[in-house]
Amino acid sequence: MSSSDDLSVELTAPNGRKYIQPTGLFINNEFVKSSSGEKITSINPTDEKEITLVHAASAEDVDAAVAAARKAFKTWREIVPTDRGGLMLKLADLVDKHAETLATIETWDNGKPYTVSLSGDVAEVAGTLRYYGGYADKLHGQVIDTGPAKFAYTIREPLGVCAQIIPWNYPLAMAAWKLGPALACGNTVVLKAAEQTPLSILYFATLVREAGFPPGVVNLINGAGKIAGEALAGHTGVDKIAFTGSTATGRQIMRSAAVNMKNITLETGGKSPLLVFDDADMEQAAKWAHVGIMSNQGQICTATSRVLVQEACYDRFVELFKAAIKETSVVGDPFQEATFQGPQVTKAQFEKVLGYVESGKSEGATLAVGGKAYKDVGGKGFFVEPTVFTGVKDSMKIYREEVFGPFVVVASFKTEEEAVEMANDTTYGLGSAVFTQDITKAHRVARNIEAGMVWVNSSNDSDFRIPFGGVKQSGIGRELGEAGLAAYTNAKAVHVNMGTRL
């Protein structure tokens, strides 16, 4: 690697792709150094080696980013909506143009398979930006008829400066989920990437500038959660905060945001159930259950990590599930095409998953598959074997807590009523899945499950055109789809007196 100005570095990724990696804070359409001089080290989770260092924002840097966003808001909100949308469409085209570089960075920094980064994550970024770019000039108020004495109407107005804090499991995709509706509605943004995966968002920043967004509209920074994240959440110059991450951090953000009663959207933790009834297509249920928990190294907030199977088909399902894992879950170098599962994102996450393995053993659950570090990728990296526990009781820690790894528990139920009760016996309520060939039962169970999303005969096949979010301690509000726009506008009511005189 080489560096010329401490704001960029030329890198060569493991797949041979060379590119210029920005390392500064993207504020007001310029890359700048951190005022404190602090930096974050990006680690390749595949071989545990340092990739590079990037600047970490201080509270003063957050102030500068918020000030830039506030200044830009005055003009950005007045831009013709069709033109705003046009910039978003141009950005989506640039994402497509640079897709291979973006996917390379995402895989190198995060550990997810390159094929997934390219055809899944980066494609979703472009799709989400296009979807919301198309909405930019279709945000309408309405006229409300109250009688001839009054002309009443509503206006959909942007909120102002939006702070957005994204997680490390889908760095670029989660950025697009938040940037899309915010920009379409006329807001300006200060977005903080996760400190574990700081690289791809900075390359994306170069595309924001190339697309022609005015200075200050999109500000992209890195920094520690306890410094930059807290500064954003508690900043009185921020009108809204959107966060994706753990429930514990979500609670802290709510407390900080209360200082000026910010508008808030939270997408937090989950322990999503997948219900398999005895009339289900067992082979399909097993394959989808595998997708629902083992995709993205199990690092998915909606992962269906509690599989609940009707007693009559429990043993058959478990055997089919184990076979699906053996056939599909190829663990290895994420740049190899055959790889299904790469490393966990960090050493801390790797150790957390293995800690839950020990907890499951100590509580008496049966370790049916995996449960160990995987050492066949050069002896390095944060790899964990796909792990399945059976004979799990609802009192066990592994049944109740979010693990966030390739780790699933399989429990049994007798009746539909018991299945729903078990599914709902959690503090979370993000995703859920139901497998049955009885369409009436499917709709009935979907209605009774306490979750923001229910998949029937599939799992985790989300779509940017469909609302995404949870209930209970899995979050507040919705992202994606038309519903995602509501989080970034206020409805202003205008009452015009048409002749009533006092």
Side-chain angles (χ1 to χ4, degrees):
M1 66 177 68
S2 63
S3 179
S4 58
D5 57 4
D6 199 32
L7 290 173
S8 66
V9 58
E10 183 178 351
L11 298 176
T12 303
N15 63 351
R17 181 167 286 270
K18 294 183 179 182
Y19 75 101
I20 301 299
Q21 172 66 55
T23 58
L25 309 171
F26 186 70
I27 299 174
N28 217 30
N29 270 16
E30 298 292 339
F31 287 102
V32 298
K33 297 179 181 180
S34 166
S35 61
S36 66
E38 293 294 320
K39 293 187 178 181
I40 292 171
T41 303
S42 172
I43 300 294
N44 177 2
T46 300
D47 61 11
E48 305 176 42
K49 294 180 181 178
E50 178 183 316
I51 300 174
T52 192
L53 300 173
V54 301
H55 288 268
S58 65
E60 290 76 15
D61 298 320
V62 170
D63 287 342
V66 171
R70 177 61 61 191
K71 181 179 179 181
F73 177 63
K74 296 176 183 178
T75 53
W76 177 246
R77 66 176 300 177
E78 301 299 334
I79 288 178
V80 175
T82 305
D83 294 341
R84 277 205 306 266
L87 288 172
M88 296 178 68
L89 298 178
K90 187 174 181 182
L91 179 57
D93 289 342
L94 287 169
V95 169
D96 283 338
K97 181 180 178 181
H98 292 259
E100 292 182 352
T101 300
L102 288 166
T104 295
I105 301 169
E106 201 80 319
T107 292
W108 195 9
D109 200 23
N110 171 279
K112 66 178 64 193
Y114 176 77
T115 53
V116 174
S117 294
L118 183 62
S119 63
D121 293 36
V122 176
E124 183 167 354
V125 172
T128 303
L129 291 172
R130 285 196 181 94
Y131 177 80
Y132 284 113
Y135 256 118
D137 57 3
K138 301 171 187 67
L139 300 169
H140 310 301
Q142 60 182 157
V143 174
I144 303 168
D145 189 355
T146 64
K150 176 182 285 190
F151 175 54
Y153 62 96
T154 61
I155 304 171
R156 297 277 292 276
E157 292 190 328
L159 303 177
V161 176
C162 299
Q164 301 176 331
I165 300 176
I166 59 172
W168 45 256
N169 56 337
Y170 292 96
L172 286 172
M174 293 298 100
W177 284 24
K178 290 173 171 54
L179 287 169
L183 296 173
C185 293
N187 300 282
T188 55
V189 173
V190 179
L191 183 147
K192 189 192 89 67
E195 56 215 79
Q196 297 86 348
T197 51
L199 301 184
S200 59
I201 198 67
L202 296 179
Y203 191 88
F204 178 81
T206 67
L207 308 184
V208 170
R209 185 165 60 187
E210 185 178 345
F213 281 83
V217 172
V218 179
N219 304 276
L220 305 171
I221 63 173
N222 280 297
K226 291 186 177 180
I227 298 174
E230 286 188 8
L232 272 174
H235 204 293
T236 55
V238 169
D239 302 294
K240 183 211 171 58
I241 187 158
F243 166 79
T244 298
S246 73
T247 297
T249 303
R251 289 194 196 99
Q252 181 57 51
I253 285 174
M254 287 184 76
R255 283 191 286 268
S256 299
V259 65
N260 62 335
M261 297 186 70
K262 290 179 180 65
N263 181 306
I264 191 165
T265 300
L266 300 176
E267 194 268 282
T268 51
K271 191 72 173 178
S272 299
L274 183 148
L275 282 58
V276 181
F277 288 93
D278 57 14
D279 64 348
D281 181 327
M282 286 299 142
E283 290 188 1
Q284 283 297 302
K287 290 177 179 179
W288 277 107
H290 172 265
V291 169
I293 180 58
M294 299 302 174
S295 298
N296 207 52
Q297 297 66 251
Q299 298 168 156
I300 311 173
C301 52
T302 52
T304 38
S305 55
R306 285 188 300 143
V307 177
L308 312 178
V309 185
Q310 200 153 21
E311 282 186 350
C313 60
Y314 184 89
D315 291 341
R316 180 165 180 246
F317 172 85
V318 169
E319 289 309 307
L320 288 169
F321 186 43
K322 289 163 65 175
I325 291 171
K326 184 177 181 181
E327 179 183 350
T328 311
S329 278
V330 177
V331 182
D333 182 342
F335 282 106
Q336 295 298 314
E337 190 172 348
T339 297
F340 178 88
Q341 179 187 318
Q344 305 312 118
V345 70
T346 60
K347 184 178 182 181
Q349 195 63 26
F350 166 81
E351 292 174 344
K352 177 184 175 184
V353 175
L354 293 179
Y356 275 103
V357 172
E358 296 309 310
S359 174
K361 290 177 181 177
S362 68
E363 289 188 298
T366 301
L367 179 60
V369 176
K372 302 189 296 292
Y374 185 85
K375 294 295 186 182
D376 293 346
V377 190
K380 290 284 189 179
F382 309 129
F383 296 90
V384 176
E385 293 182 358
T387 299
V388 180
F389 275 96
T390 58
V392 178
K393 306 299 181 185
D394 61 9
S395 60
M396 293 180 179
K397 185 177 178 181
I398 59 173
Y399 180 90
R400 309 204 72 83
E401 296 184 9
E402 183 177 40
V403 178
F404 225 64
F407 185 112
V408 63
V409 300
V410 188
S412 64
F413 65 86
K414 293 184 176 67
T415 65
E416 178 184 323
E417 292 72 22
E418 184 184 14
V420 171
E421 184 178 347
M422 290 173 69
N424 292 340
D425 182 23
T426 173
T427 58
Y428 299 113
L430 193 52
S432 60
V434 179
F435 283 83
T436 176
Q437 296 187 78
D438 181 338
I439 193 65
T440 302
K441 182 192 294 181
H443 284 296
R444 184 171 61 239
V445 173
R447 182 181 180 89
N448 290 330
I449 286 180
E450 296 168 354
M453 296 165 286
V454 183
W455 291 282
V456 176
N457 294 327
S458 68
S459 178
N460 276 277
D461 53 338
S462 298
D463 190 294
F464 56 77
R465 292 157 289 206
I466 301 172
F468 185 103
V471 298
K472 298 196 279 192
Q473 292 187 39
S474 286
I476 298 170
R478 292 293 179 269
E479 295 186 305
L480 300 185
E482 185 177 5
L485 296 162
Y488 288 95
T489 61
N490 283 322
K492 175 183 281 184
V494 180
H495 303 250
V496 181
N497 186 344
M498 299 296 286
T500 301
R501 300 181 63 81
L502 300 180

